[in-house]
């Protein structure tokens, strides 16, 4: 009896086999074109408050000035809009900054016992300052600038709290007082900080009476845990949803193989590496320019995604690449924390909390990926229909980022 011969594929079956490939690529491209996919990494905003014994209060706010000038959250503003504003007519940028300063004055509040403190002096970023920062030799975006505010806390008040403009996104607020521990918390976008007990007793000539320091009575353990949790939350949101570049890197690790052991080995290598450099970079032991770090982060995504197209086995050199680029990602995380201007004695708490939040964010990305395609990972068509098209789409997006961050 003759062996059965294979029948040629019909047009319908050929199209059916191509649909998942083309569909996934089309979805990736549509999602990319429909949302502002930023080439620059997500930055963090921060405010440092210093209260002197005589009641003088200096507030320094560090924020993404171009996003603020465009009146939107940093994670929602496209690079093209920022670049157009930065490199466009001076008169347009000047007008935007004037309006931004007005917006800041309107929505910034330092409140004592329910009454807003008047602003005595305010120094907002200028056109020359913004362009000088952008062209200083590092990464052009985001342009992190500072706004300096001077106020006075009157004697006899009991509590003080702060509220910053909502479009600055969440801020890490650090309040320094004489002879007291620094109070640090993360204020949600547009939300007030918790009320901080403070008392300035003025003597003759406006000088502080007695010790003159703001009197504060709080539960130290509860405050420490609360602040730690806020840094955990900050690290989590830095990955999900704000850290699209880190999300794509983790997805690249996830897509290599359907074996859980392969994924865990890569995640462990990446975690150890970025934890090491996050700590070393935050304490200033090593320092590399963002102009070098950010293109390398984008390039790491390209290499991992392209390697997924080669095969499913975890070779030693891929593990070395994952570890090496984990070191690079850690420097990127540290750069985000350094921009907050935290006092040095806050570094350890910020480091532990933020790093733990980053790990939770990475695990959440993996969990979502499992929820989306985990049921299909055992299928013989998983690689053809999911791994190859998704890895190709990730590689294309990351390659564009690499070029933009270099140029």
């Amino acid at each position: 009896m003759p062996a059965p011969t294979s029948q040629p594929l019909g047009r319908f079956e050929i199209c059916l086999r191509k649909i998942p490939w083309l569909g996934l690529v089309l979805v990736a491209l549509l999602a990319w074109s429909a949302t502002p996919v930023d080439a620059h990494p997500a930055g963090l905003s921060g405010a440092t408050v210093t209260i002197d014994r005589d009641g003088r209060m200096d507030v320094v706010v560090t924020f993404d000035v171009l996003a603020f000038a465009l009146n939107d959250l940093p994670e929602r503003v496209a690079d093209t809009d920022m670049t157009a504003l930065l490199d466009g007519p001076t008169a347009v940028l000047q007008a935007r900054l004037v309006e931004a300063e007005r917006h800041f004055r309107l929505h910034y509040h330092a409140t004592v016992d329910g009454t807003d403190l008047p602003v005595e002096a305010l120094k907002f970023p200028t056109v020359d300052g913004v362009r000088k920062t952008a062209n200083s030799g590092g990464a052009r975006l985001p342009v992190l600038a500072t706004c300096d505010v001077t106020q006075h806390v009157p004697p006899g008040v009991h509590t003080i709290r702060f509220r910053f403009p909502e479009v600055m996104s969440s801020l890490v607020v650090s309040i320094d007082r004489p002879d007291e521990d620094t109070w640090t918390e993360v204020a949600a976008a547009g939300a007030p900080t918790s009320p901080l007990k403070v008392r300035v007793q003025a003597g003759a000539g406006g000088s502080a009476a007695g010790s003159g320091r703001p009197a504060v009575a709080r539960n130290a353990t509860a405050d420490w845990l609360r602040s730690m949790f806020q840094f955990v939350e900050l690290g989590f949101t830095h990955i999900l949803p704000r850290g699209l570049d880190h999300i794509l890197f983790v997805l690249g690790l996830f897509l290599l193989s359907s074996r859980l052991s392969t994924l865990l080995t890569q995640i462990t290598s990446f975690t150890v590496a970025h934890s090491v450099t996050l700590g070393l970079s935050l304490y200033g032991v090593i320092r590399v320019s963002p102009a070098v770090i950010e293109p390398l982060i984008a390039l790491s995504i390209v290499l991992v995604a392209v390697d997924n197209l080669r095969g499913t086995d975890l070779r030693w050199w891929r593990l070395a690449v994952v570890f090496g680029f984990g070191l690079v990602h850690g420097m990127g995380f540290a750069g985000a924390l350094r921009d907050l201007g935290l006092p040095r004695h806050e570094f350890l708490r910020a480091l532990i909390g933020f790093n733990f939040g980053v790990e939770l964010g990475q695990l959440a990305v993996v969990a979502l990926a499992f929820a989306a395609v985990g049921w299909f990972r055992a299928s013989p068509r998983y690689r053809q229909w999911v791994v190859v098209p998704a890895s190709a789409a990730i590689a294309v997006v990351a390659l564009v980022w690499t070029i933009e961050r270099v140029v």
Side-chain angles (χ1 to χ4, degrees), residues 177-227:
R177 303 150 293 162
D179 306 317
E180 297 284 354
D181 292 336
T182 300
W183 169 255
T184 301
E185 70 173 285
V186 180
T193 62
S194 58
L196 180 67
K197 293 182 180 179
V198 60
R199 183 173 66 249
V200 175
Q201 297 177 340
S207 61
S211 68
R213 67 174 186 265
V216 180
R218 305 187 69 98
N219 185 322
T221 301
D223 286 346
W224 194 92
L225 291 175
R226 182 172 181 268
S227 179

Side-chain angles (χ1 to χ4, degrees), residues 157-178:
V157 301
H158 299 88
T159 62
I160 186 169
R161 65 194 312 178
F162 299 87
R163 185 195 297 267
F164 298 89
E166 183 176 3
V167 290
M168 283 186 174
S169 192
S170 300
L171 284 93
V172 177
V173 184
S174 180
I175 304 174
D176 189 29
R177 303 150 293 162

Side-chain angles (χ1 to χ4, degrees), residues 174 182 281-285 341-350:
S174 180
T182 300
S281 298
L282 186 61
Y283 280 95
V285 177
L342 293 172
R344 191 174 180 85
H345 62 268
E346 287 288 307
F347 282 3
L348 183 58
R349 177 165 45 186

Side-chain angles (χ1 to χ4, degrees), residues 283-362:
Y283 280 95
V285 177
I286 56 176
R287 180 71 63 91
V288 182
S289 169
V292 176
I293 295 301
E294 301 310 332
L296 284 177
I297 289 177
L299 181 61
S300 71
I301 304 170
V302 176
L303 295 181
V304 166
V306 169
D307 184 54
N308 290 344
L309 305 178
R310 172 198 53 80
T312 62
D313 53 316
L314 179 60
R315 302 186 182 183
W316 69 267
W317 59 263
R318 172 169 173 126
L319 204 56
V321 167
V322 170
F323 184 85
F325 281 118
L327 299 175
V328 174
H329 281 245
M331 295 180 199
F333 294 142
L337 281 179
R338 280 198 308 267
D339 292 335
L340 297 176
L342 293 172
R344 191 174 180 85
H345 62 268
E346 287 288 307
F347 282 3
L348 183 58
R349 177 165 45 186
L351 174 64
I352 296 173
F354 187 83
N355 197 51
F356 187 65
V358 165
E359 304 315 320
L360 291 179
Q362 292 175 173

Side-chain angles (χ1 to χ4, degrees), residues 48-60 117 120 149-157 160 162 174-180 196 198-203 206-216:
T48 58
V49 180
T50 305
I51 303 175
D52 292 339
R53 284 184 168 84
D54 62 359
R56 175 188 169 99
M57 184 171 72
D58 294 305
V59 182
V60 180
L117 289 178
E120 298 180 3
V149 183
T150 301
Q151 297 170 281
H152 267 84
V153 179
V157 301
I160 186 169
F162 299 87
S174 180
I175 304 174
D176 189 29
R177 303 150 293 162
D179 306 317
E180 297 284 354
L196 180 67
V198 60
R199 183 173 66 249
V200 175
Q201 297 177 340
S207 61
S211 68
R213 67 174 186 265
V216 180

Side-chain angles (χ1 to χ4, degrees), residues 65-142:
V65 65
L66 293 177
F68 188 73
L70 292 167
N71 197 31
D72 205 347
L73 295 174
E75 55 266 30
R76 293 207 303 239
V77 180
D79 282 5
T80 51
D81 294 336
M82 291 186 180
T83 303
L85 180 61
L86 181 63
D87 297 332
T90 299
V92 174
L93 179 56
Q94 176 65 36
R96 284 283 191 174
L97 290 177
V98 168
E99 177 61 22
E101 180 177 349
R102 188 193 69 82
H103 185 81
F104 182 91
R105 288 179 179 271
L106 187 63
H107 294 279
Y108 163 76
H109 300 280
T111 307
V112 290
D113 294 347
T115 302
D116 282 353
L117 289 178
V119 173
E120 298 180 3
L122 188 148
K123 184 180 179 182
F124 201 77
T126 63
V127 171
D128 290 341
V130 169
R131 286 179 170 167
K132 182 179 179 181
T133 300
N135 300 317
S136 61
R140 294 197 82 207
L141 297 177

